Amino acid sequence: MNAMSTIQAKSQAAVPTKKARRVPTPRIWPVTANDMYALLIGNAVLILAMWVRHGGLAELATTSGIFTAAGEISALYGTYLILIQLVLMSRSPWLDQVFGQDKINAAHRWVGFGAIWLLVGHAILTTVGYAMGIGAGPVDEFLTLLGTYPYVLWSAVALVLFIVVGFSSVRAVRRNASYETWYFIHLYTYLAIALAFLHQLFVGVDFATDRIAQAYWIGLYVLAFGSLLVFRFGQPIVVSLRHGLRVANVVEEAPGIASIYLTGRNLDQLPVRAGQWFRLRFLTREGWYRAHPFSISAAPNGRFLRFTIKELGDYTAKLQRIPIGTGVFVEGPYGALTGAARTRARVLLVAGGIGITPLRSLLEELPASRGNLTLIYRASGPEDVVFKREIDELASLRGATIHYLVGRRGSPEMPDDPLDPRSLRKLVPDIGDRDVYVCGPVGMTNRVLATMKRLRIPDRQVHYERFAF
Ligand SMILES: Cc1cc2nc3c(=O)[nH]c(=O)nc-3n(C[C@H](O)[C@H](O)[C@H](O)COP(=O)(O)OP(=O)(O)OC[C@H]3O[C@@H](n4cnc5c(N)ncnc54)[C@H](O)[C@@H]3O)c2cc1C
């Protein structure tokens, strides 16, 4: 029995037993990281040029003017970073393709903190600059600005909201709050942006009197919000309506781990690659407002999408018993952990625990000839190894090599770290000549990435996904 027929045997009731069909792959966008950096830097230069055109340099003649100028510049770049944040949050396919979600998340974090510091800097520097200019105290000046300048009170409220959002993202706070709390606090960002917008247009010295500058600034907002609307809302609505996905079957793979099969209309026209993931929103009364990310755990076949989900918290616990027939709203596919990222003929897949899901689908889809494809599957105990039969069958079918590394680190059966440089090189001597795909819990993924650095594997050969935001 081969791997495909194993799947069919398990899900026969819901999934018709037809051959896999060829599925289109997501479009490859003709953009590179350098194009993105050029666009970012180009706009940053334009913003500075706009400030100079409006007489910014003349302000530098006095101490109060220097403070005011620094306040203006921090406002312009703070807002620019907020707009970049919107684009980073938009889930644009070209950003996803060029950087991958992991790097986007890291950028989102640091751009966010940068923006908040600049906006706080704007409030302080401008108040001090104005106060020095008229010989007033900074606190009095601050109260005057709040009470008399149009929209300043609104933007002060916006700044407080930005600070609350930033505070909720500080690691120590984030660790102690649920994902949902953190997410809902983040929604205040939109209110903050709306509150601050009029302040910039009607009080900002660069926009109040210059129509061209105003049009440029509004254009940046339209671009940022446009990508958000198109990719975050438009594309998922179109895909979900077109394919009408429903739960077709739920199969227990191991205690606390279930595979959910989704079927729908024209799935052979849904562009997706092995290794990618979707945000799934199961349309039940208690769950419709929550979308969680899950990777496909079988290569796309035009007939069903399979997700394999480990019970980790309240939501994933409920999914183990999701009723057959439940409608599913999908966002995606996302992720750059795909065959498109490959640079070498040989590939090493390194999976940790439930991080096997995208790598299991890659094991099925990546081109294989004898010796080309190796999977290392790390798990704490035998109960954490899923798909063992499928993986063994795929391996013999495709000539892949599989190493199961099962046991707790430091236990008698596994005293050393099996993913340290020496052990990995022993297991896969030609590792330097392979693309390495890594997926697993954050700690394990970070350890493997550190090993790759110590083995001097070039970054372009290392592809990874962490199962956490
Ligand atoms: C790109 C990606 C692909 C993934 N693929 C799989 C997979 O194939 N199989 C699998 O079992 N798990 C996968 N996960 C992990 C899975 O999304 C979480 O385990 C699940 O969302 C936890 O939800 P919970 O409410 O049950 O647990 P909780 O205890 O509430 O959350 C546990 C952790 O999961 C993360 N998380 C929770 N809710 C969300 C959310 N809405 N969006 C993003 N992250 C969230 C947070 O880091 C949180 O600390 C993937 C995660 C990512 C980022």
Side-chain angles (χ1 to χ4, degrees):
M1 190 190 271
N2 66 25
M4 258 342 276
S5 56
T6 310
I7 295 166
Q8 287 161 3
K10 278 177 177 169
S11 53
Q12 217 145 17
V15 182
T17 50
K18 284 190 205 149
K19 266 199 165 359
R21 288 182 218 146
R22 215 179 151 74
V23 170
T25 51
R27 179 172 174 182
I28 303 278
W29 297 84
V31 283
T32 64
N34 285 342
D35 298 334
M36 308 264 181
Y37 295 136
L39 190 70
L40 285 179
I41 295 168
N43 272 299
V45 171
L46 265 183
I47 290 170
L48 190 64
M50 179 172 78
W51 177 79
V52 172
R53 194 171 100 93
H54 295 145
L57 292 177
E59 291 177 318
L60 302 180
T62 61
T63 313
S64 67
I66 291 175
F67 273 94
T68 310
E72 288 162 9
I73 289 190
S74 40
L76 288 170
Y77 284 117
T79 311
Y80 182 46
L81 291 191
I82 292 285
L83 295 181
I84 292 174
Q85 282 291 75
L86 289 182
V87 176
L88 288 173
M89 283 188 289
S90 70
R91 306 192 185 130
S92 312
W94 54 77
L95 273 183
D96 194 44
Q97 170 197 307
V98 173
F99 297 112
Q101 199 58 42
D102 233 276
K103 288 196 185 110
I104 294 174
N105 290 342
H108 177 70
R109 185 173 170 74
W110 293 114
V111 172
F113 285 130
I116 294 169
W117 280 116
L118 283 170
L119 294 176
V120 170
H122 163 66
I124 295 172
L125 292 164
T126 312
T127 307
V128 171
Y130 283 13
M132 285 169 90
I134 56 164
V139 176
D140 288 343
E141 180 59 21
F142 181 65
L143 295 176
T144 308
L145 286 173
L146 274 189
T148 56
Y149 270 59
Y151 307 113
V152 170
L153 188 59
W154 292 22
S155 56
V157 175
L159 184 58
V160 171
L161 290 176
F162 279 132
I163 292 172
V164 170
V165 171
F167 184 69
S168 74
S169 297
V170 171
R171 278 196 210 288
V173 180
R174 170 81 180 84
R175 254 198 305 273
N176 289 309
S178 72
Y179 178 89
E180 276 73 29
T181 309
W182 173 82
Y183 178 82
F184 284 116
I185 290 177
H186 259 63
L187 293 182
Y188 282 109
T189 310
Y190 298 109
L191 178 60
I193 293 173
L195 285 173
F197 182 65
L198 292 177
H199 165 68
Q200 292 160 48
L201 275 200
F202 297 114
V203 184
V205 287
D206 291 289
F207 309 112
T209 54
D210 183 342
R211 288 280 148 136
I212 297 178
Q214 241 186 36
Y216 168 64
W217 207 242
I218 292 174
L220 288 185
Y221 270 81
V222 169
L223 271 181
F225 273 101
S227 358
L228 203 71
L229 284 176
V230 168
F231 299 117
R232 203 149 171 172
F233 299 100
Q235 189 261 3
I237 291 173
V238 169
V239 170
S240 296
L241 289 178
R242 181 181 291 159
H243 297 289
L245 288 154
R246 301 210 156 264
V247 175
N249 204 0
V250 181
V251 174
E252 188 184 47
E253 302 285 355
I257 300 179
S259 282
I260 298 180
Y261 290 76
L262 304 186
T263 52
R265 291 184 294 274
N266 306 325
L267 282 190
D268 54 348
Q269 289 165 31
L270 173 64
V272 53
R273 278 179 181 273
Q276 289 197 297
W277 53 278
F278 289 83
R279 256 169 225 280
L280 301 184
R281 192 182 293 272
F282 291 87
L283 303 177
T284 57
R285 195 135 45 101
E286 333 69 62
W288 64 269
Y289 61 93
R290 298 171 73 175
H292 287 240
F294 297 107
S295 308
I296 53 169
S297 64
N301 55 33
R303 293 182 295 115
F304 61 85
L305 293 172
R306 184 179 74 171
F307 299 88
T308 303
I309 295 171
K310 179 171 176 164
E311 178 177 333
L312 210 72
D314 62 327
Y315 188 75
T316 41
K318 288 196 187 102
L319 291 184
Q320 310 291 314
R321 290 171 296 280
I322 189 85
I324 308 283
T326 303
V328 187
F329 185 86
V330 294
E331 298 165 44
Y334 304 116
L337 193 76
T338 69
R342 205 161 57 103
T343 62
R344 301 285 168 135
R346 290 162 175 252
V347 168
L348 168 64
L349 308 170
V350 185
I354 195 63
I356 185 65
T357 49
L359 303 188
R360 152 68 184 81
S361 63
L362 282 170
L363 184 68
E364 191 178 341
E365 189 188 88
L366 285 178
S369 59
R370 204 146 282 281
N372 264 9
L373 211 49
T374 297
L375 167 71
I376 293 178
Y377 189 174
R378 177 81 181 93
S380 317
E383 67 287 355
D384 294 316
V385 177
V386 273
F387 308 131
K388 181 156 188 332
R389 216 169 81 195
E390 274 183 38
I391 288 173
D392 290 343
E393 286 169 354
L394 272 175
S396 66
L397 204 69
R398 313 206 68 216
T401 308
I402 313 291
H403 300 286
Y404 295 99
L405 304 178
V406 182
R408 288 203 176 277
R409 222 163 13 121
S411 65
E413 71 271 17
M414 194 156 291
D416 299 320
D417 181 0
L419 299 175
D420 68 15
R422 199 175 50 86
S423 314
L424 264 192
R425 192 176 288 287
K426 203 162 140 201
L427 218 50
V428 189
D430 62 353
I431 187 167
D433 192 33
R434 288 175 181 259
D435 277 298
V436 184
Y437 288 71
V438 190
C439 187
V442 177
M444 187 218 88
T445 308
N446 289 347
R447 273 205 328 280
V448 176
L449 295 182
T451 295
M452 295 302 123
K453 286 255 178 278
R454 287 170 63 191
L455 289 174
R456 296 182 192 284
I457 315 270
D459 286 352
R460 64 175 179 281
Q461 279 171 240
V462 182
H463 322 285
Y464 58 93
E465 193 89 76
R466 291 188 183 92
F467 268 10
F469 289 149

